[in-house]
Short mmCIF file of all heavy atoms in Angstrom, two decimals:
data_model
loop_
_atom_site.label_atom_id
_atom_site.label_comp_id
_atom_site.label_asym_id
_atom_site.label_seq_id
_atom_site.Cartn_x
_atom_site.Cartn_y
_atom_site.Cartn_z
N ILE A 107 20.17 31.75 -3.89
CA ILE A 107 19.30 32.52 -4.77
C ILE A 107 18.07 32.91 -3.96
O ILE A 107 17.43 32.03 -3.38
CB ILE A 107 18.85 31.66 -5.97
CG1 ILE A 107 20.07 31.14 -6.72
CG2 ILE A 107 17.93 32.44 -6.87
CD1 ILE A 107 19.73 30.16 -7.80
N PRO A 108 17.77 34.18 -3.87
CA PRO A 108 16.61 34.56 -3.07
C PRO A 108 15.32 34.18 -3.78
O PRO A 108 15.25 34.14 -5.01
CB PRO A 108 16.74 36.07 -2.93
CG PRO A 108 17.56 36.48 -4.10
CD PRO A 108 18.44 35.34 -4.46
N GLY A 109 14.28 33.89 -3.01
CA GLY A 109 12.98 33.57 -3.59
C GLY A 109 12.07 34.77 -3.56
O GLY A 109 12.43 35.83 -3.02
N TRP A 110 10.88 34.62 -4.11
CA TRP A 110 9.97 35.76 -4.16
C TRP A 110 9.13 35.88 -2.90
O TRP A 110 8.37 36.81 -2.73
CB TRP A 110 9.08 35.72 -5.39
CG TRP A 110 8.48 34.38 -5.71
CD1 TRP A 110 8.94 33.49 -6.63
CD2 TRP A 110 7.31 33.78 -5.13
NE1 TRP A 110 8.14 32.38 -6.65
CE2 TRP A 110 7.14 32.54 -5.75
CE3 TRP A 110 6.40 34.19 -4.16
CZ2 TRP A 110 6.10 31.68 -5.42
CZ3 TRP A 110 5.36 33.33 -3.83
CH2 TRP A 110 5.22 32.09 -4.46
N TRP A 111 9.22 34.92 -2.03
CA TRP A 111 8.42 34.97 -0.82
C TRP A 111 9.17 35.75 0.26
O TRP A 111 10.35 35.49 0.49
CB TRP A 111 8.08 33.56 -0.34
CG TRP A 111 7.10 33.55 0.78
CD1 TRP A 111 7.33 33.13 2.04
CD2 TRP A 111 5.75 34.00 0.74
NE1 TRP A 111 6.21 33.28 2.79
CE2 TRP A 111 5.22 33.83 2.03
CE3 TRP A 111 4.95 34.55 -0.26
CZ2 TRP A 111 3.91 34.18 2.33
CZ3 TRP A 111 3.65 34.89 0.05
CH2 TRP A 111 3.14 34.70 1.34
N PRO A 112 8.52 36.74 0.91
CA PRO A 112 9.26 37.62 1.82
C PRO A 112 9.78 36.95 3.07
O PRO A 112 10.78 37.38 3.64
CB PRO A 112 8.24 38.70 2.18
CG PRO A 112 6.91 38.11 1.85
CD PRO A 112 7.13 37.19 0.72
N TYR A 113 9.12 35.89 3.55
CA TYR A 113 9.57 35.29 4.80
C TYR A 113 10.46 34.08 4.52
O TYR A 113 10.37 33.46 3.48
CB TYR A 113 8.37 34.82 5.63
CG TYR A 113 7.45 35.94 6.03
CD1 TYR A 113 6.33 36.23 5.27
CD2 TYR A 113 7.72 36.70 7.16
CE1 TYR A 113 5.49 37.27 5.62
CE2 TYR A 113 6.88 37.74 7.51
CZ TYR A 113 5.76 38.01 6.74
OH TYR A 113 4.93 39.03 7.10
N SER A 114 11.32 33.78 5.47
CA SER A 114 12.08 32.54 5.36
C SER A 114 11.77 31.69 6.57
O SER A 114 11.03 32.11 7.47
CB SER A 114 13.58 32.82 5.28
OG SER A 114 14.08 33.01 6.58
N ILE A 115 12.34 30.48 6.61
CA ILE A 115 11.95 29.57 7.68
C ILE A 115 12.52 30.00 9.03
O ILE A 115 12.19 29.43 10.05
CB ILE A 115 12.37 28.12 7.38
CG1 ILE A 115 13.88 28.03 7.17
CG2 ILE A 115 11.64 27.57 6.20
CD1 ILE A 115 14.35 26.59 7.18
N THR A 116 13.40 31.00 9.03
CA THR A 116 13.93 31.43 10.32
C THR A 116 13.29 32.72 10.81
O THR A 116 13.50 33.12 11.95
CB THR A 116 15.46 31.64 10.22
OG1 THR A 116 15.72 32.38 9.03
CG2 THR A 116 16.18 30.32 10.17
N ASP A 117 12.50 33.39 9.93
CA ASP A 117 11.83 34.62 10.36
C ASP A 117 10.66 34.27 11.27
O ASP A 117 9.88 33.38 10.98
CB ASP A 117 11.28 35.37 9.13
CG ASP A 117 12.40 35.89 8.28
OD1 ASP A 117 13.53 35.96 8.79
OD2 ASP A 117 12.16 36.18 7.09
N ILE A 118 10.57 35.03 12.36
CA ILE A 118 9.45 34.81 13.26
C ILE A 118 8.61 36.09 13.31
O ILE A 118 9.15 37.19 13.42
CB ILE A 118 9.94 34.43 14.66
CG1 ILE A 118 10.71 33.13 14.57
CG2 ILE A 118 8.78 34.26 15.62
CD1 ILE A 118 11.43 32.76 15.83
N ASP A 119 7.32 35.93 13.19
CA ASP A 119 6.44 37.08 13.11
C ASP A 119 5.27 36.89 14.08
O ASP A 119 4.15 36.59 13.67
CB ASP A 119 5.93 37.23 11.66
CG ASP A 119 4.97 38.38 11.50
OD1 ASP A 119 4.96 39.27 12.38
OD2 ASP A 119 4.22 38.39 10.50
N PRO A 120 5.52 37.03 15.40
CA PRO A 120 4.46 36.76 16.38
C PRO A 120 3.28 37.71 16.23
O PRO A 120 2.14 37.30 16.41
CB PRO A 120 5.14 36.96 17.73
CG PRO A 120 6.59 37.03 17.45
CD PRO A 120 6.76 37.48 16.04
N GLU A 121 3.57 38.98 15.87
CA GLU A 121 2.46 39.94 15.75
C GLU A 121 1.52 39.51 14.63
O GLU A 121 0.30 39.54 14.78
CB GLU A 121 2.97 41.36 15.45
CG GLU A 121 3.74 41.99 16.59
CD GLU A 121 5.22 41.65 16.55
OE1 GLU A 121 5.74 41.45 15.44
OE2 GLU A 121 5.84 41.55 17.62
N GLY A 122 2.13 39.10 13.52
CA GLY A 122 1.31 38.65 12.39
C GLY A 122 0.47 37.44 12.77
O GLY A 122 -0.69 37.32 12.38
N ALA A 123 1.08 36.55 13.58
CA ALA A 123 0.37 35.36 13.99
C ALA A 123 -0.84 35.71 14.85
O ALA A 123 -1.92 35.17 14.69
CB ALA A 123 1.30 34.43 14.76
N ILE A 124 -0.61 36.69 15.75
CA ILE A 124 -1.72 37.09 16.62
C ILE A 124 -2.78 37.83 15.81
O ILE A 124 -3.98 37.66 16.02
CB ILE A 124 -1.19 37.97 17.78
CG1 ILE A 124 -0.31 37.10 18.68
CG2 ILE A 124 -2.33 38.57 18.59
CD1 ILE A 124 0.56 37.85 19.64
N ALA A 125 -2.31 38.63 14.84
CA ALA A 125 -3.25 39.40 14.03
C ALA A 125 -4.20 38.49 13.27
O ALA A 125 -5.35 38.85 13.04
CB ALA A 125 -2.48 40.29 13.05
N SER A 126 -3.72 37.32 12.89
CA SER A 126 -4.58 36.43 12.10
C SER A 126 -5.21 35.34 12.96
O SER A 126 -5.33 34.20 12.56
CB SER A 126 -3.78 35.80 10.97
OG SER A 126 -2.71 35.05 11.49
N SER A 127 -5.59 35.72 14.18
CA SER A 127 -6.23 34.73 15.05
C SER A 127 -7.63 34.41 14.55
O SER A 127 -8.27 35.23 13.89
CB SER A 127 -6.32 35.26 16.48
OG SER A 127 -5.05 35.59 16.94
N CYS A 128 -8.08 33.22 14.88
CA CYS A 128 -9.44 32.84 14.50
C CYS A 128 -9.93 31.80 15.48
O CYS A 128 -9.19 31.38 16.37
CB CYS A 128 -9.48 32.30 13.08
SG CYS A 128 -8.48 30.83 12.87
N ASN A 129 -11.14 31.35 15.32
CA ASN A 129 -11.73 30.29 16.16
C ASN A 129 -11.50 30.55 17.65
O ASN A 129 -11.09 29.66 18.38
CB ASN A 129 -11.14 28.92 15.81
CG ASN A 129 -11.47 28.51 14.40
OD1 ASN A 129 -12.35 29.11 13.79
ND2 ASN A 129 -10.78 27.52 13.89
N GLY A 130 -11.75 31.75 18.09
CA GLY A 130 -11.61 32.02 19.51
C GLY A 130 -10.19 31.96 20.00
O GLY A 130 -9.87 31.17 20.89
N GLY A 131 -9.31 32.75 19.41
CA GLY A 131 -8.00 32.95 20.00
C GLY A 131 -6.91 32.01 19.55
O GLY A 131 -5.81 32.06 20.08
N VAL A 132 -7.17 31.11 18.60
CA VAL A 132 -6.08 30.30 18.08
C VAL A 132 -5.24 31.19 17.17
O VAL A 132 -5.75 31.77 16.22
CB VAL A 132 -6.62 29.10 17.27
CG1 VAL A 132 -5.46 28.26 16.76
CG2 VAL A 132 -7.54 28.27 18.12
N THR A 133 -3.95 31.29 17.47
CA THR A 133 -3.13 32.21 16.68
C THR A 133 -2.66 31.56 15.39
O THR A 133 -2.59 30.34 15.29
CB THR A 133 -1.90 32.66 17.46
OG1 THR A 133 -1.19 31.49 17.87
CG2 THR A 133 -2.28 33.49 18.66
N GLY A 134 -2.33 32.42 14.44
CA GLY A 134 -1.66 31.96 13.23
C GLY A 134 -2.53 31.22 12.27
O GLY A 134 -2.08 30.30 11.59
N CYS A 135 -3.81 31.59 12.15
CA CYS A 135 -4.65 30.91 11.16
C CYS A 135 -4.24 31.34 9.76
O CYS A 135 -3.69 32.43 9.57
CB CYS A 135 -6.11 31.28 11.39
SG CYS A 135 -6.71 30.65 12.93
N PRO A 136 -4.52 30.50 8.79
CA PRO A 136 -4.16 30.87 7.41
C PRO A 136 -4.92 32.12 6.97
O PRO A 136 -6.11 32.26 7.28
CB PRO A 136 -4.61 29.66 6.59
CG PRO A 136 -4.80 28.57 7.55
CD PRO A 136 -5.12 29.18 8.87
N THR A 137 -4.23 33.01 6.30
CA THR A 137 -4.91 34.21 5.79
C THR A 137 -5.38 34.01 4.36
O THR A 137 -6.02 34.88 3.79
CB THR A 137 -3.97 35.42 5.83
OG1 THR A 137 -2.77 35.06 5.15
CG2 THR A 137 -3.64 35.80 7.24
N LEU A 138 -5.03 32.85 3.79
CA LEU A 138 -5.47 32.58 2.43
C LEU A 138 -6.98 32.43 2.41
O LEU A 138 -7.56 31.76 3.25
CB LEU A 138 -4.83 31.26 1.96
CG LEU A 138 -5.16 30.80 0.55
CD1 LEU A 138 -4.45 31.68 -0.46
CD2 LEU A 138 -4.77 29.36 0.37
N ASP A 139 -7.63 33.09 1.47
CA ASP A 139 -9.07 32.98 1.39
C ASP A 139 -9.47 33.01 -0.07
O ASP A 139 -9.27 33.99 -0.77
CB ASP A 139 -9.72 34.15 2.15
CG ASP A 139 -11.16 33.82 2.48
OD1 ASP A 139 -11.72 32.93 1.79
OD2 ASP A 139 -11.71 34.43 3.40
N LEU A 140 -9.98 31.89 -0.51
CA LEU A 140 -10.34 31.82 -1.93
C LEU A 140 -11.83 32.03 -2.15
O LEU A 140 -12.28 32.12 -3.27
CB LEU A 140 -9.92 30.46 -2.51
CG LEU A 140 -8.41 30.25 -2.52
CD1 LEU A 140 -8.07 28.86 -3.01
CD2 LEU A 140 -7.72 31.30 -3.39
N LEU A 141 -12.57 32.11 -1.05
CA LEU A 141 -14.00 32.34 -1.21
C LEU A 141 -14.27 33.83 -1.34
O LEU A 141 -13.81 34.61 -0.51
CB LEU A 141 -14.77 31.80 0.00
CG LEU A 141 -14.77 30.30 0.19
CD1 LEU A 141 -15.44 29.94 1.50
CD2 LEU A 141 -15.47 29.63 -0.97
N PRO A 142 -15.00 34.25 -2.37
CA PRO A 142 -15.32 35.68 -2.49
C PRO A 142 -16.25 36.11 -1.36
O PRO A 142 -16.85 35.27 -0.68
CB PRO A 142 -16.01 35.78 -3.85
CG PRO A 142 -16.37 34.40 -4.23
CD PRO A 142 -15.50 33.46 -3.48
N SER A 143 -16.34 37.44 -1.16
CA SER A 143 -16.99 37.94 0.05
C SER A 143 -18.47 37.55 0.15
O SER A 143 -18.99 37.41 1.25
CB SER A 143 -16.86 39.46 0.12
OG SER A 143 -17.03 40.00 -1.17
#
Side-chain angles (χ1 to χ4, degrees):
Chain A
I107 303 172
W110 44 261
W111 188 245
Y113 298 95
S114 82
I115 58 167
T116 46
D117 293 342
I118 298 171
D119 178 19
E121 292 87 31
I124 293 165
S126 60
S127 302
C128 61
N129 296 345
V132 181
T133 56
C135 293
T137 53
L138 180 73
D139 199 339
L140 295 176
L141 293 174
S143 40

